[in-house]
Amino acid sequence: MRKSKRTIYQKIKKTGEELYRTGLVSSHSGNLSIRCGDKIFITTRGSMLGRLTVNDIIEVPLRGEGVYKRASRELPTHRNIYLKTGNLAVVHAHPPSAIALSFRTEVIKPFDYESSIYLGEVHVVENERIEERVPAYLTDGGIVMVRGHGSFAAAKSIEEALHYTSTLEISCRIMVIDKILGG
């Protein structure tokens, strides 16, 4: 059964509000998408995830080389994640603590209990050709960091991709606090 456009809009809007409210994106950063059959519903360039309107989410084909000037610049990465994995939702955020740690490591290894169980190791990839690099780490869902840029989480639902994103940031905050305290 195909999801209605209204339901997709509501899920993307709610996720955008949560990302902004919790500081995982700035006013005009990040992007979200949901795959529905051979279509992708994705946020537009420069949209404010905390205040999305119906006009901030557009429908583009899953396959194709067309130029979609209104679509997020990350459309090629979203497309490749969908084409190379079984995921149905993507959250691209800019979690500050995770970005800070991405400058210093190749793999983020959470040591708090929940994150270590739920995330395992989070790989950090270079910030070039990300549309080719990122999907390889998301075949069964999960999250990957792009060095100095942000995270891409993919899952069967946008809520699960949000969970990966928020869990990573909380874990990275714990690591930063531990380091400050001498750990």
Side-chain angles (χ1 to χ4, degrees):
M1 184 170 116
R2 291 176 58 89
K3 296 177 186 173
S4 75
K5 288 182 182 182
R6 180 97 180 124
T7 301
I8 292 169
Y9 165 73
Q10 290 170 340
K11 286 179 178 284
I12 291 174
K13 180 178 174 29
K14 184 176 179 181
T15 302
E17 289 169 350
E18 185 68 10
L19 286 168
Y20 180 72
R21 186 184 67 75
T22 56
L24 296 169
V25 294
S26 63
S27 64
H28 290 77
S29 71
N31 42 75
L32 306 167
S33 71
I34 293 178
R35 177 182 176 178
C36 188
D38 62 352
K39 302 283 184 198
I40 300 172
F41 292 84
I42 190 167
T43 52
T44 57
R45 287 183 189 193
S47 60
M48 297 175 71
L49 295 189
R51 298 184 192 168
L52 291 171
T53 68
V54 173
N55 293 328
D56 294 321
I57 301 166
I58 61 171
E59 182 180 332
V60 298
L62 174 62
R63 290 175 169 73
E65 299 290 325
V67 175
Y68 298 91
K69 291 181 181 178
R70 289 193 58 227
S72 164
R73 288 179 187 8
E74 304 289 0
L75 175 60
T77 304
H78 287 249
R79 270 192 173 141
N80 274 347
I81 290 169
Y82 294 129
L83 290 170
K84 296 179 179 182
T85 74
N87 295 298
L88 299 174
V90 174
V91 170
H92 171 54
H94 298 189
S97 301
I99 290 172
L101 289 178
S102 78
F103 289 113
R104 305 195 176 282
T105 187
E106 301 299 315
V107 178
I108 297 172
K109 298 177 185 178
F111 54 75
D112 64 290
Y113 181 74
E114 179 183 354
S115 301
S116 65
I117 298 298
Y118 193 69
L119 299 178
E121 295 183 341
V122 178
H123 292 272
V124 178
V125 300
E126 294 304 321
N127 192 358
E128 52 193 38
R129 295 187 345 267
I130 61 174
E131 68 276 2
E132 297 169 19
R133 294 174 188 237
V134 165
Y137 296 97
L138 302 173
T139 55
D140 295 319
I143 191 163
V144 63
M145 280 299 301
V146 176
R147 188 176 319 281
H149 177 66
S151 61
F152 281 89
K156 298 291 183 197
S157 71
I158 200 163
E159 295 86 0
E160 186 178 6
L162 172 61
H163 186 200
Y164 286 128
T165 305
S166 61
T167 300
L168 174 64
E169 177 58 14
I170 291 297
S171 181
C172 290
R173 284 183 201 166
I174 291 168
M175 286 186 261
V176 169
I177 292 168
D178 180 65
K179 184 73 171 172
I180 290 168
L181 295 176

